[in-house]
């Protein structure tokens, strides 16, 4: 039986689709789309029950995100990114959880995690400064989590940081830079720049990134006995982004099928009767379905292992990341074959298939999908070598 959120998405999906072009025109998700996403509950799926969350199986979350992306690429992307933040917030001090969710469990938290700012230690916390890009869904969020390098006030510009944090700030303590999101895809995500100018962040609103990645944050939190919050970060956040991407690829396939079913080419070929078109669609459908299945299988395997009392080691974390990357690129490659047969008129902005295709390619530029270093690392692990290189920080 499907999770109630998935059933809600199926019911409300056509409304999300109707607002997709409006999202592109606005350069952000319309308020109505945000309201619909709240009605589905997708953003609360990884949120703890004691703060109004659904605390769902992560398999259901990934499937729900992909289903949203099938209806609206920008909404699917935001669901995958913003929907992961409650999982991380659950590992923070309960004072922070009370501040964010105490009055409204539907309060959304934006990001990004890239350490683009500086956190300077001071009495009781940190002074944060910096500018960050790619804050997806930020206009609909009232809090933000930002990556920051820790440096003493006396440190010089070339001195290395002494730590790395995720710091959380309320809307009054940061600035959204309007007109900073002008792109060729995922326009409706409104992934604008953020500026923080000397805001104070108390200690309890800061989380050590090393502890988040290696699982110590979960063990030291009030969620230490809860399997959901002890699944590795390497499976959850990058997996949520991959789910958004695969859902958009599914949208390319579905819109391509609909378009081809009613199309007659300029040469008079009825596409519904064209053997080549039908073969392309069948092969793409199989490859994209395999991408969804692999992503869901892997996170489920990790979740079940944690529930059984096992620790997820580095090798399994590498597999999670390896297959997120391969599944996303496999789905995108299959979706490209669909768009390739859609003909010249499919590039017109009134054709939905192009919106999904552009959004898919924009999403592939996210750092978690960089293939070379990650797959090099994963191949080395297969041969018994330790994970090294720039991608090691993501596993």
């Amino acid at each position: 039986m499907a999770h109630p959120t998935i059933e809600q998405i199926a019911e409300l999906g056509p409304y999300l689709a109707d607002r997709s072009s409006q999202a592109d025109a606005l350069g952000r998700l319309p308020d109505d789309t945000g309201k619909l996403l709240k009605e589905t509950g997708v953003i609360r799926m990884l949120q703890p029950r004691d703060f109004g969350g659904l605390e769902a199986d992560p398999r259901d979350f990934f499937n729900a995100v992909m289903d949203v992306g099938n209806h609206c690429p920008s909404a699917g992307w935001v669901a995958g990114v913003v929907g992961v933040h409650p999982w991380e917030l659950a590992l923070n001090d309960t004072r922070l959880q009370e501040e964010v969710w105490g009055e409204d469990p539907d309060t959304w938290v934006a990001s990004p995690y890239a350490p683009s700012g500086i956190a300077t230690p001071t009495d009781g916390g940190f002074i944060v400064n910096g500018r960050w890009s790619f804050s997806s869904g930020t206009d609909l969020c009232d809090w933000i989590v930002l990556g920051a390098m820790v440096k003493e006030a006396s440190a010089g510009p070339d001195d290395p940081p002494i730590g790395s944090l995720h710091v959380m700030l309320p809307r009054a303590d940061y600035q959204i830079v309007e007109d900073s999101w002008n792109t060729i895809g995922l326009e409706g995500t409104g992934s604008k720049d953020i500026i923080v100018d000397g805001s104070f962040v108390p200690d309890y609103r800061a989380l050590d990134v090393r502890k988040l990645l290696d699982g110590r944050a979960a063990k030291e939190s009030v969620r230490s006995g809860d399997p959901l919050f002890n699944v590795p970060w390497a499976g959850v956040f990058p997996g949520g982004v991959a789910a958004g991407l695969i859902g958009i690829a599914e949208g390319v396939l579905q819109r391509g099928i609909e378009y081809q079913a009613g199309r007659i080419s300029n040469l008079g070929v009825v596409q519904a009767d064209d053997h080549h078109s039908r073969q392309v669609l069948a092969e793409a459908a199989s490859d994209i379905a395999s991408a969804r299945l692999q992503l869901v299988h892997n996170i489920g395997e990790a979740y079940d292992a944690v529930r059984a009392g096992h620790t997820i080691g580095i090798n399994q974390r590498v597999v999670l990341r390896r297959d997120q990357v391969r599944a996303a690129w496999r789905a995108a490659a299959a979706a490209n074959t669909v768009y390739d047969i859609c003909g010249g008129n499919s590039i017109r902005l009134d054709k939905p298939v192009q919106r999904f295709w552009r959004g898919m390619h924009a999403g592939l530029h996210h750092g978690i999908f960089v293939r070379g270093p990650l797959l090099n690392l994963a191949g080395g692990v297969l041969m018994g070598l330790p994970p090294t290189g720039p991608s090691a920080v993501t596993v």
Side-chain angles (χ1 to χ4, degrees):
M1 183 175 178
H3 189 279
T5 293
I6 293 174
E7 293 178 345
Q8 274 283 86
I9 291 167
E11 182 180 334
L12 297 175
Y15 299 97
L16 292 171
D18 286 345
R19 290 157 175 76
S20 192
S21 60
Q22 183 186 1
D24 281 4
L26 286 174
R28 50 160 289 190
L29 292 184
D31 291 341
D32 281 355
T33 297
K35 183 173 180 287
L36 287 170
L37 287 178
K38 288 184 177 181
E39 286 182 27
T40 69
V42 64
I43 306 299
R44 289 187 291 112
M45 291 185 80
L46 300 185
Q47 191 166 313
R49 290 191 187 93
D50 52 319
F51 281 100
L54 303 178
E55 211 166 309
D57 186 314
R59 283 170 284 220
D60 288 326
F61 173 67
F62 282 10
N63 276 316
V65 168
M66 287 185 275
D67 288 353
V68 173
N70 209 318
H71 294 291
C72 172
S74 291
W77 187 265
V78 169
V81 173
V82 177
V84 168
H85 298 152
W87 178 87
E88 179 172 335
L89 177 53
L91 306 182
N92 281 260
D93 192 295
T94 52
R95 287 174 290 177
L96 176 57
Q97 296 175 52
E98 184 64 41
E99 285 179 335
V100 176
W101 291 320
E103 294 185 5
D104 182 5
D106 269 323
T107 298
W108 287 9
V109 178
S111 55
Y113 290 147
S116 302
I118 300 297
T120 304
T122 189
D123 289 343
F126 303 88
I127 301 298
V128 177
N129 290 277
R131 180 168 180 150
W132 292 257
S133 297
F134 304 110
S135 183
S136 297
T138 201
D139 288 289
L140 298 177
C141 298
D142 294 310
W143 283 76
I144 200 163
V145 53
L146 299 169
M149 305 305 292
V150 182
K151 282 194 172 187
E152 298 287 354
S154 58
D158 297 326
D159 291 337
I162 59 175
S164 181
L165 299 172
H166 284 176
V167 294
M168 291 197 65
L169 299 89
R171 182 67 187 82
D173 291 352
Y174 60 93
Q175 174 191 348
I176 298 173
V177 182
E178 298 298 336
D179 199 32
S180 58
W181 184 244
N182 300 291
T183 61
I184 60 169
L186 295 179
E187 301 99 308
T189 64
S191 302
K192 300 172 184 176
D193 287 9
I194 300 297
I195 292 175
V196 178
D197 185 11
S199 293
F200 173 71
V201 175
D203 287 324
Y204 70 87
R205 291 190 196 155
L207 189 62
D208 187 324
V209 172
R210 294 167 299 181
K211 291 185 176 184
L212 175 65
L213 297 181
D214 67 19
R216 283 178 291 163
K219 291 179 174 61
E220 295 173 4
S221 75
V222 296
R223 318 285 172 194
S224 59
D226 192 318
L228 174 61
F229 302 106
N230 284 271
V231 175
W233 181 92
V236 180
F237 176 73
V241 178
L245 195 288
I246 293 168
I248 297 169
E250 290 177 337
V252 176
L253 172 65
Q254 184 58 38
R255 297 320 180 281
I257 291 170
E258 294 167 358
Y259 185 62
Q260 288 293 89
R263 187 168 82 89
I264 300 175
S265 76
N266 290 338
L267 299 176
V269 177
V270 177
Q271 294 300 298
D273 295 333
D274 181 66
H275 292 180
H276 173 65
S277 292
R278 285 155 57 163
Q279 178 181 343
V280 167
L281 294 174
E283 290 179 349
S286 179
D287 287 346
I288 294 172
S290 73
R292 177 189 276 250
L293 289 171
Q294 186 174 39
L295 188 73
V296 172
H297 168 80
N298 283 8
I299 193 65
E301 193 171 59
Y303 180 53
D304 289 344
V306 173
R307 287 199 295 180
H310 302 301
T311 299
I312 306 300
I314 185 63
N315 284 12
Q316 191 170 354
R317 298 206 304 271
V318 169
V319 167
L320 286 165
R321 288 288 295 115
R322 179 197 72 195
D323 291 350
Q324 291 157 3
V325 172
R326 287 294 299 132
W329 282 96
R330 185 186 311 117
N336 279 336
T337 67
V338 173
Y339 195 57
D340 285 346
I341 63 170
C342 284
N345 281 316
S346 68
I347 69 173
R348 298 184 187 279
L349 293 180
D350 64 344
K351 299 296 187 287
V353 65
Q354 55 77 29
R355 179 180 305 111
F356 286 85
W357 184 80
R358 288 185 297 107
M360 180 184 74
H361 281 278
L364 282 173
H365 283 75
H366 192 289
I368 74 154
F369 297 127
V370 175
R371 288 178 287 184
L374 191 281
L375 296 178
N376 176 58
L377 177 155
V381 169
L382 287 174
M383 293 186 286
L385 303 174
T388 56
S391 292
V393 298
T394 71
V395 298

